[in-house]
Amino acid sequence: MSQNAFARAENKIQQFFLKPLSLMFLVATALMAYHRVWWAAGVFVALWFYVGGIGARLRIHAGKGFSELAQGVTPNLAPSDQGGLTAEERHYLTHTMTRVVYAITAAAVVPIIVSGVKVWWALLIGIGIWWAGTLVFGLAMALMWRKQIIPQ
């Protein structure tokens, strides 16, 4: 039940998932705008805001204003040997990562539609991507908890 362990887990989510996704969505927006696929560029802008909202909801950013969040400063946390995560904290992290999987799924469906695949096939592929992403995420979280990368 260490707050430091929970903050470190949130920091890892932000560092390894949210920041790269945010950058990827900005690049995808520029590419879609370059190719003049405006609706896809709009979807990637919306996904960029969605990922920003996920990051802003992290508890390590509670009480920060827009200017502080825009600076991108996260707490520098020292490793802690004591305590792990409560069931509520694990549920919160899992819920956060589920939202990340939603964003990845939507980001994968848009280029499939742009490439000319029928929308119904693209949505079916998106469901497969969502299912596989959820499965991979669940296995990765279980492995991290088992190897104590994220304390229990």
Side-chain angles (χ1 to χ4, degrees), residues 7-18 149-150:
R8 281 190 300 121
E10 279 191 327
N11 225 1
K12 286 180 184 180
I13 288 174
Q14 181 175 351
Q15 181 181 9
F16 295 116
F17 292 101
L18 298 179
I149 294 172
I150 297 178

Side-chain angles (χ1 to χ4, degrees), residues 2-19 54-62 64 74-75 77 85 88-94 96-97 100 141 149-151:
S2 169
Q3 289 296 331
N4 197 20
F6 181 66
R8 281 190 300 121
E10 279 191 327
N11 225 1
K12 286 180 184 180
I13 288 174
Q14 181 175 351
Q15 181 181 9
F16 295 116
F17 292 101
L18 298 179
K19 284 183 180 181
I54 294 170
R57 271 194 83 193
L58 293 175
R59 292 181 186 171
I60 57 174
H61 299 304
K64 289 185 179 178
T74 58
L77 301 165
L85 300 177
E88 178 185 338
E89 291 170 337
R90 281 186 268 164
H91 176 71
Y92 179 80
L93 292 174
T94 302
T96 300
M97 286 305 297
V100 171
M141 290 299 280
I149 294 172
I150 297 178

Side-chain angles (χ1 to χ4, degrees), residues 17-33 40-54 99-111:
F17 292 101
L18 298 179
K19 284 183 180 181
L21 274 178
S22 182
L23 179 63
M24 182 187 80
F25 291 155
L26 285 176
V27 170
T29 300
L31 284 172
M32 292 298 149
V43 169
F44 281 116
V45 167
L47 286 171
W48 181 68
F49 278 112
Y50 180 68
V51 168
I54 294 170
R99 290 181 179 166
V100 171
V101 170
Y102 293 155
I104 292 170
T105 301
V109 169
V110 170

Side-chain angles (χ1 to χ4, degrees), residues 109 118-129:
V109 169
K118 294 187 186 228
V119 174
W120 294 111
W121 282 109
L123 292 176
L124 187 62
I125 292 168
I127 290 170
I129 292 169

